Amino acid sequence: MSDVHPTRRVVDLLTGAWQAQALHAAAVLDLPDHIHRGRGTTAELADATGCEKDGIERLMRLLTAMGVFTGGNYEGYRLTEVGDLLRTDHARSMRDMAVIYGEEFHRAWGAVVPAVRTGVSGFRHAFGVTLGEHLAADPGAAAGFQRAMNAGNVFFQDVLRAHDFGADRTVVDVAGGGGMLLSTILAAHPDLHGVLLDLPHVVPVADAHLTRELGPGRHLTVAWDVFDSVPGGGDVYLLSRILQDWDDEHCLRLLTSIRRSMPATARLLIVERVIPTDGSALLPLLWDLHLLMAAGGRERTLDGYRSLLDGAGLRLESVTEMSLETSLLTAVPAEENR
């Protein structure tokens, strides 16, 4: 019986992807939305989704055991707090995250062996193009990707607690994506003005989000090559999960670009997962390999981030631990450059 525990552990690890795909199916079939609207029996869900009743019953049985739903076939299924987050209209919906993780990212992870062997992203192996090229060619996919990246980001509120924006006037979000972090900051500080820089196909998504959340007049969205320059005059510059997408050479170019434009009193806030040297945290290690699968990027140790900052004329001032094993690294211009 000595091998029962390790055997079960191997089986649990191997079938983890099956649970992820079941969650993906729930999101694609909009099962949480249907249940929220009162269509909770197997027959009602089969009718609403156009699926075979037997398939829905087996899927719902598994999802209930996973804690996504509660109830049963006869009395009807109900949403748990987990299932509620997969509703399309939930304020913190993670539906788009479940969709892309079960489609594009699932296929990219299918190329994990060639990606590890070659250092070329699993996404390129699976799709023949980079993730960036794929998103640039498909506006719908780009919008879904931005929503997915914003999903579950409970650490955005942590940024507000980690940095005092009270004396700041202008926040520059470098490669700010869909604008969720910037809107969170601006909503909490009505006197702040925001500038968001990103690629041409991303800017309309960010502009729509910021206008919807804040109204007009409090932000500017600009298509911009951030590796060449960024606007000067900001009090705070943001880099939220951007360095993870690039190799050291590109990161150094980006950080140097920001450093050239930063006033001496400005702060650079970097949101990333830091790899612990003792292997104590799992999420940074998972995301580190996922970044190789998705975009050819990587997570880094604290010494790795400090080295990049030093090379760009910046100094790491502080590190604040946030939710979901995420960290806020605050950097300032190095003393000799101030």
Side-chain angles (χ1 to χ4, degrees), residues 3 13 15 114 155 180 201:
D3 66 338
L13 290 170
T15 56
F155 50 80
M180 182 73 77
H201 69 276

Side-chain angles (χ1 to χ4, degrees), residues 34-51:
H34 294 307
I35 293 173
H36 182 63
R37 298 185 189 115
R39 308 189 73 178
T41 67
T42 301
E44 288 171 334
L45 291 171
D47 180 66
T49 59
C51 294

Side-chain angles (χ1 to χ4, degrees), residues 33-79:
D33 288 348
H34 294 307
I35 293 173
H36 182 63
R37 298 185 189 115
R39 308 189 73 178
T41 67
T42 301
E44 288 171 334
L45 291 171
D47 180 66
T49 59
C51 294
E52 289 292 328
K53 183 180 175 182
D54 178 66
I56 286 292
E57 184 173 350
R58 294 160 75 173
L59 175 61
M60 292 301 297
R61 193 161 55 202
L62 173 58
L63 290 167
T64 300
M66 289 166 52
V68 180
F69 304 118
T70 188
N73 178 35
Y74 297 105
E75 71 270 31
Y77 292 98
R78 300 179 302 278
L79 297 174

Side-chain angles (χ1 to χ4, degrees), residues 60-291:
M60 292 301 297
R61 193 161 55 202
L62 173 58
L63 290 167
T64 300
M66 289 166 52
V68 180
F69 304 118
T70 188
N73 178 35
Y74 297 105
E75 71 270 31
Y77 292 98
R78 300 179 302 278
L79 297 174
T80 65
E81 291 183 350
V82 173
D84 201 45
L85 286 173
L86 296 177
R87 282 171 36 212
T88 304
D89 60 351
H90 194 287
R92 294 180 289 109
S93 175
M94 300 178 74
R95 178 188 181 276
D96 287 293
M97 189 175 182
V99 170
I100 192 171
Y101 273 61
E103 291 178 2
E104 286 96 333
F105 289 166
H106 182 69
R107 287 180 58 186
W109 269 89
V112 61
V113 172
V116 169
R117 280 178 171 160
T118 65
V120 175
S121 74
F123 196 96
R124 179 180 278 280
H125 281 289
F127 288 85
V129 296
T130 66
L131 175 60
E133 291 167 342
H134 171 73
L135 297 176
D138 187 340
F145 176 80
Q146 291 302 331
R147 291 192 300 269
M149 294 305 99
N150 288 331
N153 287 337
V154 295
F155 50 80
F156 283 175
Q157 291 295 327
D158 295 341
V159 174
L160 297 174
R161 292 185 284 270
H163 177 79
D164 182 5
F165 291 90
D168 300 322
R169 290 295 173 264
T170 302
V171 178
V172 181
D173 197 351
V174 181
M180 182 73 77
L181 175 56
L182 183 59
S183 70
T184 300
I185 294 170
L186 296 184
H189 296 276
D191 293 332
L192 277 176
H193 179 76
V195 179
L196 185 143
L197 315 173
D198 215 307
L199 297 172
H201 69 276
V202 177
V203 164
V205 178
D207 188 60
H209 170 77
L210 289 163
T211 301
R212 182 171 61 252
E213 295 296 317
L214 304 167
R218 293 197 57 203
H219 73 275
L220 177 67
T221 55
V222 188
W224 198 289
D225 184 353
V226 297
F227 287 99
D228 286 340
S229 66
V230 299
D235 299 297
V236 175
Y237 289 79
L238 303 175
L239 272 179
S240 178
R241 299 163 301 164
I242 303 303
L243 299 180
Q244 65 178 20
D245 291 335
W246 299 97
D247 58 25
D248 287 358
E249 180 181 352
H250 282 86
C251 288
L252 191 57
R253 281 180 55 195
L254 177 56
L255 291 169
T256 301
S257 171
I258 295 171
R259 170 63 191 92
R260 284 197 301 261
S261 299
M262 287 177 67
T265 56
R267 294 291 186 273
L268 170 61
L269 306 184
I270 300 171
V271 177
E272 293 286 358
R273 285 189 170 90
V274 178
I275 295 178
T277 54
D278 60 0
S280 59
L282 185 60
L283 274 181
L285 302 175
L286 282 169
W287 248 268
D288 181 41
L289 191 57
H290 171 68
L291 289 165

